[in-house]
Amino acid sequence: WVDTGIAKRMMVQREIQLALTIARTRDTLFVFGSAWGMFASGVVTAKALGKKVPPVAGVPLVVGGLILGNLYDLAYGNKMLRVAKEAEEILEYERGRLVPFKQAPFAKFYTEAEKGALWEDSTAVGDLFPNRFYAPRQELPPPKK
């Protein structure tokens, strides 16, 4: 497969990319967590003081809480490991999902079974509604050689 020197460089690059992703997630969590915390404390304070709070204010409280929980799991939890395990499962048992279009230079490295697993059952986006409705496909002449 790959010699040791290249594998080590790939490992370092992967670690750098993962660290950058985690750091970016933590930064996003800090910024949006602060904004959500300010909003939530404002809603709770207004409610505690007996002021009228519109019911729609509950939507950003709930949705924001779910999003922040997901970001926290990515930044400090084990979400990266769970995603990596899911990627291993896909690579092991669902390789048909990874088959590129036939013009890709590396498409020839996939087996016919992998190519046929999902490719034949799928539909081009342009053939689906609403694209088919307002932009029907037109047969184009073959390219001149």
Side-chain angles (χ1 to χ4, degrees):
W1 268 74
V2 179
D3 73 7
T4 306
I6 293 174
K8 285 183 180 180
R9 286 194 300 263
M10 290 169 60
M11 181 184 77
V12 169
Q13 184 63 37
R14 177 185 173 275
E15 289 174 352
I16 290 169
Q17 289 298 321
L18 286 173
L20 284 170
T21 299
I22 293 169
R24 191 178 311 119
T25 303
R26 288 181 181 175
D27 180 61
T28 304
L29 180 64
F30 294 152
V31 171
F32 289 112
S34 299
W36 183 85
M38 294 277 290
F39 175 74
S41 62
V43 170
V44 169
T45 302
K47 199 73 161 157
L49 293 175
K51 300 200 180 202
K52 188 175 180 185
V53 177
V56 75
V59 173
L61 281 176
V62 173
V63 173
L66 291 171
I67 291 170
L68 288 173
N70 189 36
L71 284 173
Y72 183 87
D73 189 20
L74 182 62
Y76 295 103
N78 66 350
K79 185 177 183 90
M80 286 286 223
L81 296 175
R82 295 192 317 267
V83 169
K85 283 188 175 198
E86 185 63 24
E88 284 179 359
E89 290 289 317
I90 292 167
L91 286 169
E92 186 75 25
Y93 302 109
E94 300 178 43
R95 283 189 51 86
R97 295 187 182 280
L98 308 175
V99 174
F101 49 91
K102 63 184 177 185
Q103 291 87 351
F106 47 86
K108 61 186 174 190
F109 299 119
Y110 289 87
T111 66
E112 289 303 317
E114 290 169 339
K115 290 177 185 176
L118 296 171
W119 196 262
E120 301 303 323
D121 297 332
S122 58
T123 304
V125 175
D127 291 338
L128 298 173
F129 183 83
N131 291 347
R132 184 180 45 177
F133 179 68
Y134 63 86
R137 285 193 186 271
Q138 297 175 359
E139 292 295 324
L140 298 175
K144 295 179 182 176
K145 295 182 180 184

